[in-house]
């Protein structure tokens, strides 16, 4: 059977909207309930971490997704303890495929970033 043009068009549109729904809209800081320190941390995250780590998914990008990273005793990829001390080490000194940020982030930036990471 040959489909009329309009049916083909409708099918195409339906497919496009299905795909579009899969891309989650970015939530505002208010929607996420972030306090001022966590919002500052989110900006730092967006600047330096987002290109390699998804914040709200465990799906990998260049590095593992960081959703719920403090929820378990150990970090899923490196197996290091999921605490502020070890995570600060990772951020400041980097990993084999991750740059370190000790030259970029101040002590305050690091605290703000950690505050945000705890909300993931
Ligand atoms: C160029 C890409 C890249 C950037 C930018 C980057 N990372 Fe990573 N990160 C990685 C990779 C790759 C790993 C996995 C390293 C490993 O297996 O040792 C990783 C590992 C981690 C881990 C450990 C995860 C686990 O499950 O063990 C944490 C936490 C982390 N990164 C946080 C950050 C934060 C916070 C930033 C921003 C300050 C950042 N990363 C920036 C690539 C990146």
């Amino acid at each position: 059977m040959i489909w009329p043009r309009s049916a083909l068009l409708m099918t195409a549109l339906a497919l496009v909207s299905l795909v579009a729904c899969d891309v989650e809209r970015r939530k505002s800081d208010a929607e996420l309930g972030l306090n001022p320190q966590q919002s500052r941390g989110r900006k730092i995250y967006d600047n330096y971490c987002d290109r390699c780590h998804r914040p709200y998914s465990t799906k990998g990008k260049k590095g593992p997704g960081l959703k719920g990273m403090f929820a378990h005793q150990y970090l899923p990829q490196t197996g290091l303890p999921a605490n502020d001390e070890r995570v600060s080490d990772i951020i400041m000194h980097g990993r084999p495929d991750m740059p370190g940020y000790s030259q970029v982030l101040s002590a305050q930036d690091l605290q703000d970033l950690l505050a945000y990471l705890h909300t993931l």
Side-chain angles (χ1 to χ4, degrees):
M1 148 190 163
I2 300 167
W3 279 23
R5 268 177 102 97
S6 58
L8 275 177
L9 190 66
M10 293 303 284
T11 311
L13 280 175
L15 280 176
V16 167
S17 57
L18 265 181
V19 171
C21 283
D22 202 38
V23 179
E24 237 189 279
R25 191 179 61 83
R26 179 181 164 88
K27 289 202 172 104
S28 70
D29 292 3
E31 283 172 305
L32 291 168
L34 302 183
N35 67 29
Q37 182 182 31
Q38 293 159 348
S39 297
R40 284 196 301 276
R42 190 187 194 193
K43 290 206 183 69
I44 296 167
Y45 187 93
D46 287 345
N47 279 340
Y48 301 115
C49 319
D50 190 65
R51 68 189 171 99
C52 293
H53 296 285
R54 289 176 218 274
Y56 299 111
S57 164
T58 51
K59 219 167 88 186
K61 221 169 172 181
K62 282 185 195 143
L66 297 183
K67 181 182 180 186
M69 59 176 279
F70 282 111
H72 301 282
Q73 204 180 344
Y74 297 100
L75 296 166
Q77 175 105 11
T78 58
L80 291 167
N83 58 37
D84 284 4
E85 210 189 333
R86 288 281 79 80
V87 169
S88 299
D89 273 355
I90 294 174
I91 294 169
M92 294 317 243
H93 306 300
R95 299 284 308 170
D97 288 314
M98 169 175 160
Y101 291 88
S102 57
Q103 306 295 313
V104 185
L105 300 179
S106 68
Q108 184 63 57
D109 291 340
L110 179 63
Q111 289 315 309
D112 295 350
L113 179 57
L114 284 172
Y116 172 63
L117 293 175
H118 274 279
T119 70
L120 301 185

